[in-house]
Structures are given as C-alpha cells and as structure tokens.
C-alpha cells in the first residue's frame, strides 16, 4: 500500500536502514530481532519497489549507531568505549571482519540495488577509547584521521568486492574534520544528544574539507545530514558539479527521512500512518520546487483530504491513504485523551475534597459525595476503554505486538491508568 503511494507522490527511491530487522544468518543470527523480516520478505519488498519504479538503497551503519550489534555480549569487545554500545573501535581487526560479514549479507540480498549507504553519522565517543588515544599519539593524528582511516578501509572492501556499486554516506562527521572556513558562511549545531561543536551545513565542505591523501572522495558521495528550516536547496545545486572525485553529486537527506527511532534505544518516533500527510507535502514540495497550489492540489487529491493547514500541522477530511484510521485515532489521543482525563480528575471538586489519595488509600468516603461524580467518571472511563480497544485493533493490523505495547505505554497508559485506578478505587 505504501510503495504505490510514494511513487505517485514523486519518490523514486527508498532508503532502508534495517538494523535488527534484517534476516542475518550464520554467525550473525544473534543480531536478528524476533520479528525480523524473512528472506522472502526482503525479496518481496524489492519486487514491489521495482514494480513502482522505486530503487531500494540499503543502509548499513559502519561506525556509529551500531547499538543493535554492540549491545550483545558477543561483540562488546568491539566498542570504542567499553561502557557505551554506540560506536565501533576501529583499531580492533575484528571490527572490519564483522563489518565485511554484515555488508556482504545485506548486499547479497539486494542484487538489484546499484547503491549502498554506509551511514557513518554521529560517531559518538570516537577518540575516547584507549586504543584510539594510543593510535593518535603514535601517529600524530586526531579524531578526523581516525575517522577517515576507518571509512577508507570500509570503502576499500566495497570497491574491491563489489565493482560498480555506488556508495553513499552521511556528511556530518566529514564537515567537522577540518577547521577550514565555511564557503557558504552557514553554521549550525548538530542534532546529537550531546553537545557538539558547531558544524558547517554547506555541502561544498563535506569532501573538500577531507585531506586528498585519504582517497575517499573517489569512492563515496556525501549525503547532506542537516535539520533546519532555513536550508538553502540552491546551495546543493551550485556545488553538485564541483564535488571532487568520482562520487558524483551530493544528494540531500531524503525530505521524508522517517526514523523509526532516533537510535536503537530511543522511544518510537511518530507512527508512519500519522506522518504520511507530512511525507506527501515534503515530496510534492520537492517535485514542484515549493509548496505551490499545484503541489497542494496533488497532495489533497492523492490522500483524499479536503484541506491542509501547514501552520497548525492539521488536515481536514476523511482521507483515503494507508493507515488513515490510525491517523484519525492518534489525533483523538493527542488532542483529547490527556486533557479530558486530567480535567475530570483535577477539576471535579467532589474528587478533590471527598475522594483524595488519602481517602482512597484508607478506603473510606461519603457515598453522597461520591455519587455526585461517579456516573460522569464511569462514562468517561467506558468511552476511552472502548476507543482504545478499537485503536489497539487497528494498530495490531499493521504492527508487531511489542510496537503496539510500546506505543500504548508511551501515549495512552500514562493518562488512562490514572482513570482506571480511580474507577477501581471508586468501585
């Protein structure tokens, strides 16, 4: 359902970061989560993509964001810093050996793809491990040279083993390597969870800042990794032809970069059905060079909506896109669940005065006062329980049980549980 929609809205490719959803086998089987795709699923994904003229680009993280690997005891010895599962130690030979296995298994199952993305963004704590410190002191190097040395080894494997396969990588770490002034005069801070030095967002800098002797410019295209409302798309156009080496262009991060999570340990990001209108608007804005009337008309037509209000982030109309039922139900949760429950619990004077936590703990109260709020609270409880049953049923049609449970724990239970507890004590 999603691929035809993406194609209709102007997408021509899908970047997939599988992480533990890939059907790793042999020694790597430990990396698979219980709900990982089967090999048949991976094949089906590619067939459907091809049918709808979408190129699948697999993304395999090769430096940072490898918590799904380094959380396992089997691979803990490959961490840059022993306490943190974020990033690989590039000085241990086993790191490259493992990456070769991971890359090989993913590439073997994507023979139609002419691109692979090696990630390499947000390599937290690089240079902080003892091996890195020793290497930098013996080789008069810095974190930048450690980074480039590892990337060069990964690229060396890919170019030797898979002739003609084109490689992409995020450019955020590249932009931090050299203290050269930014040609575009634009500076921003990264989106990482920890404080970072300002980094230039000008794509020209990504590879021109990299020392020529590293040799990586010939083998990889940097992809602009940047989040800000004032990004100048024209900047990319001006510098694409100037990108050094054979990388061939500097594509931006997909306008609909839709993270399932910001990293392996973070909570879920927005559910896909809820973000489809945003995705549609981004794609059509890119296709039309702005959110023109034509772009707006196309979005409304394809999604079956009556209107969109960008400033309010709202859509009007029933909609006719995959998961639209979930879209509307999540709107109800976001707009009314917390508000209606807190209003009932905090503004009802009979609850505050005659059914306080102390009354409930010691199980006493005046029936006269309790009856004054009872029917209202019971009705509210019954209505939300019924609604949540329907929502859960819709989510279970699309998501695995662990995802449904997590979304409910994050978005519904913190408020509904308060109401459930009150009703239990009232009864």
């Amino acid at each position: 359902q999603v691929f035809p929609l993406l194609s209709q809205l102007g997408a021509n490719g899908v970047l997939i970061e599988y992480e533990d959803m890939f059907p790793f086998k042999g020694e790597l089987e430990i990396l698979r989560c219980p709900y990982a795709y089967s090999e048949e699923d991976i094949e089906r994904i590619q067939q459907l993509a091809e049918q709808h003229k979408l190129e699948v680009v697999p993304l395999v993280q090769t430096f940072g964001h490898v918590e799904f690997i380094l959380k396992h005891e089997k691979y803990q010895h490959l961490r840059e810093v022993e306490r943190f599962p974020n990033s690989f130690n590039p000085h241990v030979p086993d790191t490259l050996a493992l990456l070769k296995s991971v890359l090989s298994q993913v590439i073997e199952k994507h023979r139609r793809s002419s691109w692979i993305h090696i990630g390499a963004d947000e390599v937290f704590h690089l240079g902080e491990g003892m091996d890195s410190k020793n290497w930098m002191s013996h080789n008069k190097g810095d974190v930048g040279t450690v980074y480039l040395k590892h990337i060069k080894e990964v690229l060396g494997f890919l170019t030797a083993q898979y002739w003609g396969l084109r490689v992409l990588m995020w450019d955020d770490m590249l932009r931090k390597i050299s203290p050269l002034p930014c040609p575009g005069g634009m500076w921003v801070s990264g989106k990482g969870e920890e404080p970072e030095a300002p980094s230039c967002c000008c794509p020209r800098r990504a590879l021109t800042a990299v020392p020529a002797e590293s040799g990586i410019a010939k083998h990889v295209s940097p992809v602009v990794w940047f989040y800000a409302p004032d990004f100048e798309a024209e900047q990319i156009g001006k510098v694409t032809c100037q990108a050094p080496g054979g990388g061939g262009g500097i594509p931006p991060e997909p306008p609909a970069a839709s993270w399932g999570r910001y990293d392996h340990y973070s909570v879920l990001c927005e559910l896909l059905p809820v973000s489809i209108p945003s995705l549609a608007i981004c794609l059509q804005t890119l296709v039309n060079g702005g959110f023109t009337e034509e772009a707006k008309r196309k979005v409304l037509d394809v999604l079956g909506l009556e209107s969109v209000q960008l400033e309010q982030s709202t859509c009007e109309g029933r909609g006719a896109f995959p998961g639209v039922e979930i879209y509307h139900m999540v709107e109800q949760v976001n707009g009314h669940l917390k508000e209606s429950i807190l209003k009932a619990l905090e503004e009802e004077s009979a609850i505050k005065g005659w059914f306080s936590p102390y009354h409930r703990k010691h199980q006493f109260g005046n029936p006269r006062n309790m009856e004054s709020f009872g029917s209202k609270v019971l009705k509210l409880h019954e209505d939300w329980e019924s609604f949540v049953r329907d929502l859960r049923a819709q989510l279970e049609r699309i998501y695995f049980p662990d995802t449904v449970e997590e979304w409910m724990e994050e978005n519904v239970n913190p408020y509904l549980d308060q109401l459930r507890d009150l009703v239990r004590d009232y009864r």
Side-chain angles (χ1 to χ4, degrees):
Q1 288 176 283
V2 173
F3 282 3
L5 182 76
L6 295 180
S7 189
Q8 229 182 327
L9 289 165
N12 60 8
V14 186
L15 183 73
I16 304 182
E17 183 171 359
Y18 290 102
E19 267 210 356
D20 57 2
M21 288 296 290
F22 188 80
F24 291 108
K25 53 188 183 186
E27 279 204 356
L28 301 180
E29 195 169 339
I30 191 173
L31 302 179
R32 296 168 66 154
C33 79
Y35 299 111
Y37 295 128
S38 66
E39 291 186 21
E40 293 72 31
D41 291 334
I42 302 283
E43 181 56 29
R44 180 87 176 115
I45 285 169
Q46 292 174 93
Q47 285 172 359
L48 285 166
E50 199 170 32
Q51 209 176 311
H52 297 287
K53 299 183 173 53
L54 298 168
E55 174 151 16
V56 174
V57 180
L59 188 155
V60 177
Q61 284 287 4
T62 54
F63 214 160
H65 283 304
V66 282
E67 297 91 345
F68 81 102
I69 297 174
L70 298 181
K71 70 180 183 181
H72 294 285
E73 199 178 336
K74 180 178 178 179
Y75 298 118
Q76 276 180 13
H77 67 291
L78 302 182
R79 295 176 177 186
E80 168 72 353
V81 174
E82 197 182 341
R83 279 170 48 229
F84 305 130
N86 305 67
S87 308
F88 279 126
N89 175 346
H91 310 284
V92 183
D94 285 359
T95 292
L96 192 61
L98 172 65
L99 279 173
K100 287 177 178 179
S101 300
V102 171
L103 286 162
S104 299
Q105 289 202 17
V106 173
I107 292 168
E108 287 305 320
K109 290 280 170 268
H110 290 84
R111 282 306 195 173
R112 294 175 177 82
S113 298
S114 53
W115 295 88
I116 184 153
H117 196 310
I118 60 168
D121 58 315
E122 294 190 318
V123 187
F124 297 136
H125 309 293
L126 183 60
E128 293 175 22
M130 278 316 298
D131 287 347
S132 283
K133 285 177 178 171
N134 291 336
W135 189 91
M136 289 187 290
S137 102
H138 290 143
N139 294 276
K140 296 187 171 55
D142 58 13
V143 173
T145 48
V146 172
Y147 179 80
L148 289 173
K149 177 178 173 287
H150 178 68
I151 295 300
K152 189 177 177 183
E153 286 172 348
V154 171
L155 292 172
F157 164 70
L158 289 170
T159 50
Q161 201 70 22
Y162 301 100
W163 190 85
L165 185 65
R166 300 168 77 185
V167 187
L168 299 167
M169 68 183 284
W170 298 128
D171 79 336
D172 62 310
M173 297 293 291
L174 295 176
R175 275 185 267 129
K176 292 175 193 168
I177 284 174
S178 163
L180 293 172
C182 163
M186 296 157 60
W187 294 85
V188 293
S189 292
K191 82 160 172 60
E193 290 76 19
E194 48 193 56
E196 293 185 74
S199 65
C200 155
C201 72
C202 173
R204 184 181 313 176
R205 169 137 168 203
L207 279 185
T208 50
V210 175
E213 61 271 20
S214 76
I216 77 163
K218 290 199 270 308
H219 304 298
V220 67
S221 293
V223 183
V224 178
W225 178 104
F226 180 68
Y227 300 84
D230 59 351
F231 184 78
E232 295 292 330
E234 291 80 17
Q235 290 273 358
I236 295 178
K238 287 176 194 163
V239 301
T240 302
C241 57
Q242 299 167 18
I250 308 180
E253 177 167 335
S258 171
W259 306 114
R261 306 174 187 280
Y262 287 126
D263 72 37
H264 190 72
Y265 282 96
S266 80
V267 294
L268 285 162
C269 293
E270 189 57 273
L271 297 174
L272 179 60
V274 181
S275 53
I276 281 177
S278 164
L279 164 70
I281 288 166
C282 288
L283 285 171
Q284 274 299 300
T285 298
L286 198 69
V287 168
N288 290 279
F291 193 52
T292 58
E293 274 307 310
E294 191 183 341
K296 189 174 184 177
R297 225 178 12 256
K298 174 84 170 182
V299 167
L300 297 177
D301 183 42
V302 171
L303 301 186
L305 294 167
E306 286 163 24
S307 67
V308 291
Q309 272 73 43
L310 291 190
E311 290 73 20
Q312 289 79 39
S313 295
T314 56
C315 299
E316 306 296 327
R318 286 183 60 184
F321 54 87
V324 69
E325 303 85 0
I326 291 173
Y327 177 89
H328 288 306
M329 293 175 110
V330 170
E331 266 191 327
Q332 288 293 311
V333 169
N334 287 345
H336 304 296
L337 176 71
K338 177 180 177 181
E339 184 191 354
S340 68
I341 290 174
L342 294 184
K343 190 175 177 187
L345 300 190
E346 290 172 9
E347 292 181 15
E348 183 64 61
S349 61
I351 292 178
K352 293 184 87 164
W354 283 270
F355 201 53
S356 71
Y358 185 80
H359 290 94
R360 291 164 63 183
K361 181 180 177 180
H362 294 285
Q363 300 185 351
F364 74 98
N366 188 327
R368 176 180 173 276
N369 301 92
M370 288 176 65
E371 281 173 14
S372 72
F373 68 79
S375 57
K376 197 191 298 180
V377 164
L378 290 174
K379 173 80 166 66
L380 183 67
H381 174 249
E382 189 185 313
D383 289 348
W384 276 119
E385 290 288 13
S386 166
F387 174 86
V388 166
R389 273 194 300 276
D390 293 344
L391 171 59
R392 184 180 282 277
Q394 289 291 347
L395 289 172
E396 284 171 350
R397 286 176 50 228
I398 298 175
Y399 292 103
F400 294 115
D402 60 337
T403 306
V404 178
E405 184 200 357
E406 182 182 346
W407 197 87
M408 290 295 190
E409 284 292 347
E410 289 292 326
N411 299 281
V412 173
N413 296 348
Y415 313 108
L416 195 49
D417 281 352
Q418 293 179 53
L419 186 59
R420 286 166 173 156
D421 290 348
L422 184 93
V423 166
R424 179 199 62 215
D425 292 348
Y426 171 85
R427 285 186 171 139

